[in-house]
Amino acid sequence: MGRELYKTKYGKLLLGDTIEVYKNHLSRYYSGKFQLIITSPPFPLNNKKKYGNLQGDEYLRWFTELAPMFSDLLTDDGSLVMEIGNSWESGRPVQSLLHLECLLGLVKNPESELRLIQEFISYNPSKLPSPAQWVTVNRLRTVDSYTHVWWMAKSDFPKADNSKVLRPYSKKMEKLIASKKYNSGRRPSEHAISDSAFANNNGGSIAHNLFELEQIDPNRDVRLPHSVLSFSNTNSNDYFHRRCRKEGVDLHPARMQAGLVSFFTNFLTDEGDLILDPFGGSNTTGYVAEKLKRRWIVTEINEDYAYNSIIRFEDPELGSVLEII
């Protein structure tokens, strides 16, 4: 069923292959129970990584066959959020369509009820130049600097509340709200702006589906939702990263950004809801869920990464009691 490695006040990590854990445990006790499944699965890279990744048709077949499992585990109004990067054709300066085929494979799988609700883009200007052969050696392509984040669900109306993930107002918008002086009327875009359109202070503006994890324009403030900023600004120097550097612990090479997990957790769940990450890695999802008082289950097949993730829950600011089984 997958060995329980540790548990906390709100969750537990199961060590084992997620499909086997599902067949022997999750399908029996957790069918229809997860409000959110959020994960960054192994990317279909051309070069093998320590965390394990398939390629080509083998990857597509494996990925598509996850759809019935996800559909079974989600509540009727639950959400599936997956982050996945781009891949390139082996030995060619040509971007692969594999990630798009994977998305279509999920939502068109006849044994599931999934549909794409919305796509998000996570832009990271600090990513190393890749694919290196075609960017830094031959200089034929630009840097691949973003990942796709797909929000899927079994219903057209999954539980969601964008008022819980508002962005800070821009300085210009704050002035408009304060002065209530602006040009109302019809715009060239044919939008009609009423006299009271900007009269109310709603606590922030509605979030965009682009996550700008660092500033694109140095003269403009990044206006990520507060839930993202609270994790993003200190991500590289938080307790987990400091401890790993100090103790020489190898970090998982494809960690999901904590700010993304925080955003979707706040956006799509309430306190007490149950969250699953079937490819936990260093267990960013469990840490964020613990901090936000959501119940969680994480599975991870790599024993080293699973044990290393214990460090996250030793963070004194988290205030969590960890029990190693």
Side-chain angles (χ1 to χ4, degrees):
M1 60 167 276
R3 178 166 65 91
E4 188 172 315
L5 182 63
Y6 60 81
K7 61 182 179 180
T8 65
K9 180 178 181 180
Y10 292 104
K12 59 184 177 182
L13 183 141
L14 302 176
L15 185 61
D17 176 77
T18 191
I19 295 176
E20 293 303 314
V21 173
Y22 167 72
K23 290 177 180 178
N24 299 319
H25 181 64
L26 296 180
S27 62
R28 182 176 180 182
Y29 298 105
Y30 292 96
S31 179
K33 298 294 178 62
F34 290 98
Q35 191 62 43
L36 173 64
I37 300 174
I38 183 166
T39 193
S40 179
F43 289 3
L45 304 174
N46 289 325
N47 298 318
K48 281 284 187 180
K49 299 293 186 181
K50 181 180 177 182
Y51 59 81
N53 53 289
L54 304 173
Q55 289 93 30
D57 291 341
E58 188 180 11
Y59 183 91
L60 178 60
R61 182 167 53 254
W62 170 81
F63 196 96
T64 301
E65 290 174 355
L66 296 172
M69 178 182 78
F70 292 146
S71 186
D72 174 56
L73 292 174
L74 283 174
T75 62
D76 288 340
D77 64 349
S79 292
L80 166 64
V81 174
M82 301 185 77
E83 180 192 26
I84 190 164
N86 296 305
S87 60
W88 293 73
E89 296 290 346
S90 179
R92 301 171 61 198
V94 175
Q95 189 168 321
S96 171
L97 299 179
L98 184 56
H99 65 290
L100 299 176
E101 293 172 339
C102 286
L103 173 60
L104 292 174
L106 283 181
V107 299
K108 290 192 172 185
N109 189 313
E111 298 179 32
S112 75
E113 307 169 66
L114 297 174
R115 75 287 317 267
L116 179 65
I117 303 298
Q118 190 171 15
E119 181 175 19
F120 293 73
I121 297 297
S122 179
Y123 168 68
N124 182 2
S126 295
K127 285 189 70 172
L128 293 175
S130 67
Q133 179 64 41
W134 310 119
V135 175
T136 61
V137 179
N138 289 11
R139 295 191 176 263
L140 299 176
R141 300 292 178 264
T142 58
V143 177
D144 192 1
S145 60
Y146 71 91
T147 58
H148 307 264
V149 183
W150 299 323
W151 172 22
M152 292 166 277
K154 292 161 59 175
S155 161
D156 290 1
F157 298 96
K159 182 166 80 171
D161 183 354
N162 68 23
S163 69
K164 297 193 297 185
V165 287
L166 297 175
R167 299 192 305 159
Y169 283 128
S170 66
K171 291 180 175 60
K172 183 177 181 180
M173 185 64 191
E174 288 174 345
K175 290 179 180 179
L176 287 176
I177 293 173
S179 68
K180 294 181 172 56
K181 294 179 181 179
Y182 47 86
N183 296 322
S184 58
R186 186 169 294 277
R187 298 291 192 264
S189 63
E190 298 187 0
H191 288 92
I193 307 300
S194 70
D195 292 338
S196 59
F198 302 112
N200 297 323
N201 186 336
N202 295 309
S205 61
I206 297 172
H208 291 186
N209 66 339
L210 169 68
F211 294 103
E212 180 188 342
L213 299 180
E214 293 182 18
Q215 288 173 280
I216 298 175
D217 180 354
N219 298 315
R220 176 176 55 80
D221 291 335
V222 173
R223 292 194 298 121
L224 287 169
H226 294 290
S227 58
V228 177
L229 282 172
S230 64
F231 284 93
S232 297
N233 286 351
T234 59
N235 185 59
S236 62
N237 199 36
D238 61 11
Y239 177 85
F240 176 70
H241 288 78
R242 292 198 307 271
R243 276 278 306 274
C244 287
R245 285 196 297 266
K246 181 179 179 180
E247 299 178 18
V249 173
D250 290 334
L251 292 170
H252 192 287
R255 301 180 303 283
M256 195 172 187
Q257 222 280 339
L260 290 181
V261 181
S262 174
F263 174 85
F264 287 105
T265 299
N266 280 293
F267 181 27
L268 304 175
T269 71
D270 296 310
E271 286 190 12
D273 282 344
L274 185 60
I275 296 173
L276 171 69
D277 187 341
F279 307 104
S282 60
N283 201 4
T284 302
T285 296
Y287 174 81
V288 172
E290 190 83 9
K291 196 165 189 176
L292 298 179
K293 299 180 180 178
R294 271 65 166 177
R295 296 179 297 128
W296 58 271
I297 294 176
V298 165
T299 65
E300 172 53 37
I301 194 172
N302 186 294
E303 192 166 337
D304 289 339
Y305 294 138
Y307 271 101
N308 291 343
S309 71
I310 291 173
I311 296 173
R312 289 195 186 276
F313 298 90
E314 295 172 347
D315 184 349
E317 292 187 5
L318 186 61
S320 180
V321 178
L322 179 106
E323 179 182 350
I324 300 176
I325 309 303

